[in-house]
Amino acid sequence: MGVNIDFEKEVAASEQTGYESGACSPRQMDEIQAEAGNPAPSRSVVTDLDRWIARKMLEVVGNPPVVLKLWDGAAVTPAIDIPVATLQYNTRSAMIKTILNPELYFGDLYSSGQVSFNGSLIKFMEIIYTNLEQSGRGSWLRKVVILLGHRRIANTHDKAKDNIYHHYDIGNEFYRLWLDTDEMQYTCAYFSYPEMTLEQAQVAKLHHVCRKLQLEPGDTVVEAGCGWGGLALFMAKHYGVRVTAYNISKEQVAYAHSRAEREGLSDRVEYVLDDYRNISGKFDKFVSVGMLEHVGKGDFPALGRVIDNCLKPEGKGLIHTIGRNLPAPMNGWIERRIFPGAYPPSLQEMMQIFEPNRLSILDVENLRLHYSKTLQHWLRRYEQNSDQVQSMMDEEFVRAWRLYLAGSISAFNVGELQLFQVVFARARNNQLPWSREHLYSPGQNKPEQAPVEAEA
Amino acid sequence: MGVNIDFEKEVAASEQTGYESGACSPRQMDEIQAEAGNPAPSRSVVTDLDRWIARKMLEVVGNPPVVLKLWDGAAVTPAIDIPVATLQYNTRSAMIKTILNPELYFGDLYSSGQVSFNGSLIKFMEIIYTNLEQSGRGSWLRKVVILLGHRRIANTHDKAKDNIYHHYDIGNEFYRLWLDTDEMQYTCAYFSYPEMTLEQAQVAKLHHVCRKLQLEPGDTVVEAGCGWGGLALFMAKHYGVRVTAYNISKEQVAYAHSRAEREGLSDRVEYVLDDYRNISGKFDKFVSVGMLEHVGKGDFPALGRVIDNCLKPEGKGLIHTIGRNLPAPMNGWIERRIFPGAYPPSLQEMMQIFEPNRLSILDVENLRLHYSKTLQHWLRRYEQNSDQVQSMMDEEFVRAWRLYLAGSISAFNVGELQLFQVVFARARNNQLPWSREHLYSPGQNKPEQAPVEAEA
């Protein structure tokens, strides 16, 4: 029943599918940069000082089994272990930038091809995480993967819109290339058993959420942050509920709306292009999957008040979110380049949503390794379609998203990130199940057999 | 699947079993007090001021359907509703004391018979909780049931011993009168289905805990706070593990030790008469059921360090504790008279155990209504044996524990108290089950069929 991440297999698979990342030669790099309008970097001579810096860089992260290659091809190799990856600095300035503000620059340097890479990015980052945990904080690579460069997050309504446009309005076509084909779920899937396909696991996730909410036919449901509308449609179709779903991404709402029309469900699912803070009305169920990461902890009390205002006395709610074991800011590069405004909270921080409103936590489940597996599926498909991504965007974009997806796998694998599903109700609500057995009813592992009847 | 507490049935049952509480006439009260060496109170004349105070007392708690009877038999009745209970003040000083420091004095006044009661104590307190929630804070009865009178809790090792002696060394014979006969579990049972007997539900609880810990034969387990040793023996007997169990109650450890001898398990279960802070060694599993309430939140970081020191890299842990939706001190009377040093934490507060050590929360389950049901079983048995309790202790003790048990039922029913089972592991532990389905395997509802094989 244990989960063993088979790294060798992972690396082998990645090599087959070509997701192996910055495996560009310096010549290729030059071409990319030339293409991007940059002159080919002058290959300055590697000095003793450069080599000393490179060795120090490896030392401070506990001498991982990684080769550091410099711009003249000279290599600083690990003392003992057989190297699992090669990190290549194609210019001196890239190396210096990494030391100056690793968290921000490493991502940009990798994306732009000034740093290239041979081996598994996932494995590389896991090793760094491990060594850093053992060697303590303060080193440049700890900063690469975890901390610093954090800017204060305050998601005003306008700011929230900007952030969401940045991420979700890249284009539905882009996400369609690598998300599950059926439900377009850009959140952690649920692998009731690990051999499930991504499509099966996303359907299993949707059922898992619906079962936790104990949806009953006729229930009114409000969804905060509905993505491409998959969950809302699923709930209406399979559990006979009416859904009002909020999202501030125009592209996503347009997509969701047309899908609801096409499936003849627009009388039971309403998509509202608005901020979750404007939710009004009273509902039997509140659900939010993958939105809390965008809320920012300063707005947790506001979210709590929204829930308190809209949840009926015997209602239930579920929040599904990326989280942490202890508070820390989002990696600065991801927060700047990929997910503006993102903040994965610790459970302690999440309690700011619930405790001031006396909401009762009924169930917390941590699906961390499910997110790693989900991301592995995504990355595999992403690499299979990277040519298309490149033609839609550019090479830098391809590399940035590769780093983001691979880095996220590492973070979930080593427990830097968590995935919490939190079920809650009002303190006085005694309409509670005696056990959670109903989540694991027969047929639960066969997501294609959707239970149309609700399960009270 | 919902749980409806049937109060009418509850009251009827309580009347049959005689748990109906202070149903003493003033004459009986006088006799009790005379018995206890107190002179019969002089029946001073009830004045207009007394009646005005009585009406005010009802007003500030939202005019509950309760009759307030004064020492001359005069009654202040509720305006509209049919009364569900009568609260009788047998002296003026009792009424005045209730106003002065309700939280502390109400319990003492009730225990000593200066306040008597007709009707269901449970229902009475639930009504008070409800009205107070609607009418806000600051009234005398809110203080009775919830707040104030709180003293700073700092459980030094010596203090912790005193506290535990106070509660657990009352005498095993006392607890044997009303706990389950098989396992002597003085913690929340687990009713996989609500019709279970108390004995079945306690065994189901033990299995539930063992399954959550994923015990495997040969595992080493450390238990912090082992009560009468039931869980430790159960784990060794049914799951083939070796247990080291800590407890600072001499009576409990002596009982547990002799039971282990009797059952031929003393080679696999070691009981240590010592504080949890002195746990040493490395273990596969950490478990603590019903101890955290005695730890005090100031010592949560210390408990976290103990866990961090003793848990193996791929270990798992479980803490089972009474908790709250938001931080608040224990009711002062219970803390003084019944459970010295007790503090039920909110989840946010509990995170002080886990977050500083990067421990990962895997699962939280709230069993609040299971504790109400457990307490209902206990109270029924307690009342059936109240004569024996009285002969072992005295009438005041009988009444104090009645109030404590009945008040706890109310608190769990209305969501003032919660019961959390929290499963955790180290951040880097990837030996995690894909789903929680193994907790609900076939046969789980038949606790008599204990799975001797471990379920990895």
Side-chain angles (χ1 to χ4, degrees):
Chain A
M1 201 154 230
V3 179
N4 274 310
I5 306 296
D6 186 339
F7 294 121
E8 297 312 321
K9 205 171 142 199
E10 188 56 36
V11 172
S14 70
E15 274 157 7
Q16 281 163 23
T17 58
Y19 91 55
E20 218 17 86
S21 47
C24 309
S25 69
R27 230 202 76 248
Q28 285 174 309
M29 283 299 107
D30 295 348
E31 283 164 9
I32 289 160
Q33 288 180 318
E35 224 175 7
N38 297 330
S42 65
R43 303 230 160 273
S44 60
V45 176
V46 169
T47 65
D48 284 348
L49 179 64
D50 293 326
R51 275 186 290 272
W52 181 84
I53 290 171
R55 270 194 304 275
K56 278 287 153 200
M57 284 171 76
L58 288 178
E59 261 178 57
V60 293
V61 290
N63 287 313
V66 170
V67 175
L68 250 186
K69 260 196 179 170
L70 303 185
W71 45 97
D72 69 344
V76 177
T77 51
I80 312 160
D81 299 311
I82 297 159
V84 300
T86 300
L87 187 64
Q88 168 132 13
Y89 280 97
N90 296 319
T91 64
R92 176 179 291 129
S93 86
M95 187 169 77
I96 302 301
K97 277 181 173 170
T98 307
I99 300 166
L100 288 175
N101 190 345
E103 193 211 27
L104 180 61
Y105 286 123
F106 184 84
D108 286 351
L109 292 167
Y110 174 79
S111 305
S112 68
Q114 291 177 71
V115 169
S116 51
F117 196 86
N118 261 303
S120 164
L121 260 177
I122 301 169
K123 198 170 178 181
F124 167 69
M125 280 186 281
E126 283 174 357
I127 289 165
I128 299 300
Y129 275 120
T130 308
N131 284 5
L132 287 171
E133 204 174 279
Q134 287 158 7
S135 68
R137 292 164 168 270
S139 59
W140 63 275
L141 256 171
R142 175 151 195 94
K143 293 173 190 168
V144 170
V145 286
I146 305 171
L147 287 164
L148 277 193
H150 175 64
R151 56 180 171 181
R152 199 178 168 74
I153 296 166
N155 287 332
T156 61
H157 289 228
D158 281 352
K159 180 76 191 153
K161 276 185 194 164
D162 286 350
N163 292 341
I164 294 305
Y165 296 163
H166 183 106
H167 196 84
Y168 293 106
D169 288 351
I170 291 173
N172 300 337
E173 289 313 310
F174 166 65
Y175 290 99
R176 214 201 294 272
L177 290 175
W178 48 279
L179 294 181
D180 66 299
T181 50
D182 300 340
E183 302 292 341
M184 284 275 278
Q185 291 289 301
Y186 185 34
T187 50
C188 177
Y190 177 69
F191 294 83
S192 332
Y193 54 93
E195 300 77 19
M196 276 182 158
T197 65
L198 179 61
E199 276 69 19
Q200 288 175 322
Q202 288 295 9
V203 169
K205 185 264 301 287
L206 296 172
H207 277 303
H208 205 50
V209 166
C210 293
R211 288 193 177 98
K212 285 185 174 182
L213 284 167
Q214 297 187 277
L215 295 185
E216 291 182 40
D219 272 356
T220 53
V221 181
V222 64
E223 186 181 10
C226 66
W228 287 278
L231 174 60
L233 287 181
F234 190 89
M235 290 190 293
K237 203 190 302 181
H238 296 288
Y239 292 85
V241 301
R242 309 183 73 84
V243 189
T244 311
Y246 284 72
N247 192 340
I248 53 175
S249 163
K250 286 191 294 281
E251 285 237 9
Q252 289 190 322
V253 166
Y255 179 99
H257 189 73
S258 75
R259 193 179 152 196
E261 292 268 303
R262 209 164 56 240
E263 301 196 13
L265 287 164
S266 42
D267 57 328
R268 283 151 68 192
V269 181
E270 186 192 1
Y271 292 103
V272 182
L273 183 67
D274 202 350
D275 193 283
Y276 73 92
R277 284 164 285 198
N278 296 326
I279 286 172
S280 61
K282 299 282 177 194
F283 300 88
D284 297 303
K285 305 289 157 70
F286 173 95
V287 66
S288 180
V289 175
M291 184 193 77
L292 191 71
E293 301 90 325
H294 302 294
V295 165
K297 64 179 171 173
D299 282 316
F300 287 1
L303 175 60
R305 284 191 298 273
V306 166
I307 293 168
D308 192 41
N309 285 334
C310 77
L311 197 64
K312 288 188 187 170
E314 296 200 328
K316 280 197 187 65
L318 181 147
I319 292 179
H320 165 123
T321 185
I322 298 171
R324 286 193 184 275
N325 286 344
L326 79 170
M330 189 66 160
N331 170 289
W333 176 77
I334 291 178
E335 204 272 302
R336 272 184 178 77
R337 301 285 186 251
I338 309 278
F339 254 120
Y343 183 82
S346 78
L347 276 177
Q348 180 167 22
E349 293 174 312
M350 279 185 76
M351 292 305 130
Q352 286 305 315
I353 302 166
F354 307 109
E355 294 197 356
N357 302 293
R358 290 182 172 267
L359 293 165
S360 193
I361 304 300
L362 303 180
D363 182 15
V364 179
E365 185 176 16
N366 188 334
L367 299 174
R368 169 169 69 88
L369 292 178
H370 293 249
Y371 216 153
S372 166
K373 194 173 264 298
T374 305
L375 281 153
Q376 288 168 47
H377 280 280
W378 288 346
L379 181 55
R380 198 164 288 127
R381 293 178 186 205
Y382 179 83
E383 294 295 354
Q384 282 163 354
N385 293 293
S386 63
D387 288 350
Q388 266 181 276
V389 176
Q390 190 168 343
S391 67
M392 290 164 71
M393 311 291 186
D394 58 25
E395 173 66 12
E396 189 159 340
F397 184 95
V398 170
R399 290 170 67 88
W401 275 73
R402 171 184 296 134
L403 181 64
Y404 159 59
L405 292 170
S408 300
I409 293 172
S410 312
F412 283 105
N413 278 347
V414 301
E416 277 291 322
L417 292 177
Q418 314 294 318
L419 192 290
F420 297 121
Q421 280 189 343
V422 178
V423 182
F424 55 90
R426 291 190 183 280
R428 299 298 300 271
N429 181 355
N430 284 355
Q431 296 295 324
L432 308 175
W434 280 102
S435 103
R436 303 181 300 196
E437 194 173 4
H438 66 282
L439 303 178
Y440 307 97
S441 54
Q444 195 270 107
N445 285 341
K446 298 172 194 67
E448 63 282 8
Q449 297 172 9
V452 179
E453 320 74 55
E455 34 200 5
Chain B
M1 202 154 230
V3 179
N4 274 310
I5 306 296
D6 185 341
F7 295 120
E8 297 312 322
K9 205 170 140 201
E10 189 56 36
V11 172
S14 71
E15 275 156 7
Q16 281 162 23
T17 58
Y19 90 57
E20 217 18 84
S21 48
C24 309
S25 69
R27 230 201 79 248
Q28 285 174 309
M29 282 300 106
D30 294 349
E31 282 164 11
I32 290 161
Q33 287 180 321
E35 225 175 7
N38 296 330
S42 64
R43 303 229 160 273
S44 61
V45 176
V46 170
T47 65
D48 284 351
L49 180 62
D50 292 326
R51 276 186 288 272
W52 181 83
I53 291 171
R55 271 194 304 274
K56 277 289 153 198
M57 284 171 76
L58 289 178
E59 260 179 57
V60 293
V61 290
N63 286 313
V66 170
V67 175
L68 249 186
K69 260 196 177 168
L70 303 185
W71 45 98
D72 69 342
V76 177
T77 51
I80 313 160
D81 299 311
I82 296 159
V84 300
T86 301
L87 187 64
Q88 168 131 13
Y89 280 97
N90 296 320
T91 64
R92 175 180 291 131
S93 86
M95 188 169 77
I96 302 302
K97 277 181 174 170
T98 307
I99 300 167
L100 288 176
N101 190 345
E103 192 209 26
L104 179 61
Y105 286 122
F106 185 84
D108 286 349
L109 292 167
Y110 174 78
S111 305
S112 67
Q114 293 178 69
V115 168
S116 52
F117 196 85
N118 261 303
S120 163
L121 261 177
I122 301 170
K123 197 168 178 182
F124 167 68
M125 281 187 278
E126 284 174 357
I127 289 166
I128 299 300
Y129 275 121
T130 308
N131 284 5
L132 288 171
E133 204 175 279
Q134 287 160 6
S135 68
R137 291 164 170 269
S139 60
W140 64 274
L141 256 173
R142 175 150 195 94
K143 293 174 190 168
V144 170
V145 287
I146 305 171
L147 286 165
L148 277 192
H150 175 63
R151 56 180 170 180
R152 198 177 169 75
I153 297 167
N155 287 331
T156 60
H157 289 228
D158 281 350
K159 181 76 190 150
K161 276 185 196 165
D162 286 349
N163 292 341
I164 294 306
Y165 296 163
H166 184 105
H167 196 84
Y168 294 105
D169 288 351
I170 291 173
N172 301 337
E173 288 313 310
F174 166 65
Y175 290 100
R176 214 201 293 272
L177 291 174
W178 49 279
L179 294 181
D180 66 300
T181 50
D182 300 340
E183 302 292 342
M184 285 274 278
Q185 290 288 302
Y186 185 34
T187 50
C188 176
Y190 176 69
F191 295 83
S192 329
Y193 53 94
E195 300 77 18
M196 276 181 159
T197 65
L198 178 61
E199 277 69 20
Q200 288 175 322
Q202 288 295 8
V203 168
K205 185 264 300 289
L206 296 172
H207 277 303
H208 205 50
V209 166
C210 293
R211 288 193 176 99
K212 284 186 174 182
L213 284 167
Q214 297 188 278
L215 295 185
E216 291 182 39
D219 271 357
T220 53
V221 182
V222 64
E223 186 181 9
C226 66
W228 287 277
L231 174 59
L233 287 181
F234 189 90
M235 291 191 293
K237 203 189 304 181
H238 296 287
Y239 292 85
V241 300
R242 308 183 74 84
V243 188
T244 311
Y246 284 71
N247 192 340
I248 54 174
S249 164
K250 284 191 296 283
E251 286 237 10
Q252 289 190 321
V253 166
Y255 179 99
H257 189 75
S258 74
R259 191 177 155 198
E261 292 268 302
R262 211 163 53 243
E263 301 196 13
L265 287 164
S266 43
D267 58 328
R268 283 150 70 191
V269 182
E270 186 192 1
Y271 293 104
V272 183
L273 182 67
D274 203 351
D275 194 283
Y276 72 91
R277 285 164 284 198
N278 296 326
I279 286 172
S280 61
K282 299 282 177 194
F283 300 88
D284 297 304
K285 306 289 156 71
F286 174 96
V287 67
S288 180
V289 175
M291 185 194 75
L292 192 71
E293 301 90 327
H294 302 294
V295 165
K297 65 179 170 174
D299 282 317
F300 286 2
L303 174 60
R305 284 191 297 273
V306 166
I307 293 168
D308 192 40
N309 286 333
C310 78
L311 198 64
K312 288 187 186 170
E314 296 200 328
K316 280 196 188 67
L318 181 146
I319 292 179
H320 166 122
T321 185
I322 299 171
R324 286 195 184 273
N325 286 345
L326 80 170
M330 189 67 160
N331 170 288
W333 176 76
I334 290 179
E335 205 273 302
R336 271 184 180 77
R337 300 286 185 249
I338 309 279
F339 254 120
Y343 183 82
S346 78
L347 277 177
Q348 180 167 22
E349 293 174 313
M350 280 185 76
M351 293 303 132
Q352 286 305 314
I353 302 166
F354 306 110
E355 295 198 356
N357 301 294
R358 291 182 171 268
L359 292 166
S360 194
I361 304 299
L362 302 179
D363 183 16
V364 178
E365 185 175 17
N366 189 334
L367 299 174
R368 167 169 69 89
L369 293 178
H370 293 249
Y371 217 155
S372 166
K373 195 174 265 296
T374 305
L375 281 153
Q376 288 168 46
H377 281 279
W378 288 346
L379 182 54
R380 198 164 288 126
R381 292 177 187 207
Y382 179 82
E383 294 295 355
Q384 281 163 356
N385 294 293
S386 62
D387 289 350
Q388 266 181 275
V389 176
Q390 189 168 343
S391 66
M392 290 164 70
M393 311 291 187
D394 59 24
E395 174 66 13
E396 188 157 343
F397 184 95
V398 170
R399 291 170 67 88
W401 276 73
R402 172 183 295 134
L403 181 64
Y404 160 58
L405 292 170
S408 299
I409 293 173
S410 312
F412 284 105
N413 278 349
V414 302
E416 278 290 322
L417 292 177
Q418 314 294 318
L419 192 290
F420 297 121
Q421 281 189 342
V422 178
V423 182
F424 55 91
R426 291 191 183 279
R428 300 297 299 272
N429 182 355
N430 284 354
Q431 296 296 324
L432 308 175
W434 280 102
S435 104
R436 303 181 299 196
E437 195 174 3
H438 66 283
L439 302 178
Y440 307 97
S441 55
Q444 195 269 107
N445 285 342
K446 298 173 194 69
E448 64 283 6
Q449 297 171 9
V452 180
E453 321 75 54
E455 33 199 4

